[in-house]
Amino acid sequence: MQQEALSFLSSSFPSLHHNFPTLSRLRFHNFPALSFKPNTSSSSLFKSPNIPSLSSTTATTETLESSIHEKLIYLDSLGIDFLTLINRHPPLLSTALSAVESVVDYMTTPPINFTLQDFRRLVSMCPELLTSPLTSHTIPVITFLLREVGVDSIFDLRQALRRRPRLLACSVDHQLRPTLYFLQRIGILDPHKHTYLLSCSVEHKLVPRIDFFEKLGFSRRSATAMFKRFPQLFNYSIAENYEPKLKYLMVEMERDVREVLEFPQYFSFSLENRIKPRHEACAAKGVRFPLPVMLKTNEAGFRDTLEVCCDSSPPLKTSRLVTVQKILDL
């Protein structure tokens, strides 16, 4: 299995290719021929085009400018930069001020009761909040999180939205509920603790990460169990996290890839700032700790454990080596 995993990691993923036809093969079947017979009847030659009057166009423009100006003043009073926001989310230009005000009132008054500072952060990360219909989109999202996901309280709801504002831009029917069912199906029975995953695509993010570990040689059940044990694993990049850390584990640390089955939290530690320095310190002393012991303790605790381990005298009952099993059980 170890060799199979190394072989998989060493091979580069094939690039995507699009099959475009060569220029010589292009055929323009849908364009009309250049020759045509013009309609020269007097009725068509002298018919006046249906052009709106200048006065109506001017009135429409003035109304639009007034609406935009009112929204600018209103959002500025909340400390929200309107011009920056419309560059990121142009639909805000055509959204009625009354609709924007309704969203602000709903999110910043009881029972939701976000502070203005928190609300500004929500909008900066999810500008769609201001343009989404309140009764047909935003309120159903809030209701779904409280009733179906099982978020315990309004306080926990605010915490969940602070952590992942993009939840407010997701459709309940097409995004949030399908992801909830997927998480429950693989055994994550406390989704209210992992609401940040609900905005992730099952097809494009969650399933490919399980597939990656299956390609390493793990069974589907074992790979799924890793994510059940440590759901945050879904949030890490395959190319920027899984691959380099697995290569270091198997090549430099000379460890069995199956160690991550029992300790998937390995992927949560920085390769440069935690994994490499800890491994190098152990290698210099000629010792080998289980991954949890090597990585989970703070720097002082790790150095203490390392020194006690290298001491020729038996470890004291109060030393960290005596409590290794407690650390592994965390």
Side-chain angles (χ1 to χ4, degrees):
M1 178 177 179
Q2 186 82 349
Q3 187 60 38
E4 181 183 354
L6 280 171
S7 175
F8 170 70
L9 287 170
S10 299
S11 62
S12 58
F13 290 96
S15 59
L16 296 175
H17 296 284
H18 299 282
N19 297 321
F20 293 105
T22 60
L23 290 176
S24 62
R25 293 168 54 196
L26 291 175
R27 295 291 184 269
F28 301 98
H29 296 294
N30 298 323
F31 290 93
L34 292 177
S35 60
F36 64 96
K37 294 181 180 181
N39 186 347
T40 57
S41 66
S42 59
S43 61
S44 63
L45 286 175
F46 298 103
K47 186 176 180 180
S48 300
N50 186 19
I51 300 174
S53 66
L54 182 60
S55 59
S56 63
T57 303
T58 302
T60 302
T61 302
E62 290 176 350
T63 301
L64 180 60
E65 289 177 351
S66 175
S67 172
I68 293 174
H69 185 65
E70 289 175 353
K71 276 183 286 189
L72 187 153
I73 293 174
Y74 175 68
L75 292 175
D76 185 66
S77 71
L78 302 177
I80 297 173
D81 188 340
F82 176 74
L83 297 179
T84 299
L85 211 56
I86 61 173
N87 282 331
R88 294 181 51 215
H89 190 57
L92 182 58
L93 277 173
S94 57
T95 303
L97 175 59
S98 58
V100 174
E101 290 173 332
S102 296
V103 172
V104 174
D105 289 344
Y106 178 75
M107 297 297 291
T108 59
T109 59
I112 308 301
N113 212 24
F114 273 109
T115 65
L116 273 179
Q117 181 179 357
D118 281 340
F119 183 76
R120 285 192 292 267
R121 181 177 178 275
L122 290 180
V123 169
S124 69
M125 300 183 70
C126 181
E128 294 91 337
L129 174 60
L130 291 177
T131 59
S132 298
L134 180 62
T135 56
S136 62
H137 179 88
T138 304
I139 292 178
V141 169
I142 299 295
T143 303
F144 170 80
L145 292 173
L146 291 170
R147 293 183 180 176
E148 296 188 44
V149 179
V151 174
D152 293 329
S153 64
I154 294 297
F155 175 81
D156 291 333
L157 173 70
R158 288 196 296 265
Q159 289 288 84
L161 295 178
R162 286 190 195 102
R163 181 172 186 181
R164 188 58 65 93
R166 296 298 305 172
L167 287 168
L168 292 165
C170 296
S171 163
V172 171
D173 292 332
H174 300 113
Q175 172 62 56
L176 300 179
R177 189 174 287 119
T179 303
L180 172 64
Y181 290 166
F182 174 82
L183 294 176
Q184 291 173 333
R185 190 166 66 250
I186 67 173
I188 299 176
L189 303 180
D190 52 356
H192 62 283
K193 297 180 180 179
H194 309 287
T195 52
Y196 55 88
L197 293 176
L198 294 174
S199 61
C200 299
S201 166
V202 172
E203 295 80 9
H204 299 117
K205 184 168 185 176
L206 304 187
V207 170
R209 279 155 176 74
I210 296 177
D211 290 343
F212 174 84
F213 286 97
E214 192 174 6
K215 290 174 183 176
L216 283 177
F218 298 158
S219 67
R220 188 73 175 184
R221 176 178 293 183
S222 295
T224 302
M226 288 178 59
F227 290 91
K228 178 183 176 181
R229 185 177 297 115
F230 187 58
Q232 293 94 319
L233 191 59
F234 278 122
N235 270 343
Y236 303 141
S237 164
I238 292 176
E240 297 176 8
N241 187 303
Y242 295 174
E243 290 180 345
K245 289 179 181 177
L246 283 172
K247 285 182 179 179
Y248 190 81
L249 177 84
M250 292 183 285
V251 177
E252 299 298 330
M253 299 170 70
E254 298 181 344
R255 290 177 178 263
D256 193 314
V257 68
R258 286 173 292 189
E259 288 192 54
V260 300
L261 284 175
E262 296 302 321
F263 187 61
Q265 293 90 338
Y266 168 77
F267 296 98
S268 67
F269 294 98
S270 167
L271 181 59
E272 297 298 328
N273 298 326
R274 178 65 70 95
I275 298 173
K276 285 184 178 181
R278 294 283 176 94
H279 166 68
E280 291 169 357
C282 289
K285 297 286 187 178
V287 298
R288 185 185 186 92
F289 291 142
L291 287 177
V293 176
M294 187 180 82
L295 297 174
K296 290 181 73 170
T297 55
N298 60 32
E299 190 63 25
F302 170 74
R303 294 295 172 183
D304 176 58
T305 303
L306 193 60
E307 291 303 319
V308 172
C309 183
C310 296
D311 196 332
S312 58
S313 60
L316 300 174
K317 289 184 178 181
T318 56
S319 77
R320 298 189 67 84
L321 288 181
V322 177
T323 60
V324 162
Q325 188 58 47
K326 292 181 180 179
I327 297 175
L328 287 172
D329 291 339
L330 291 179

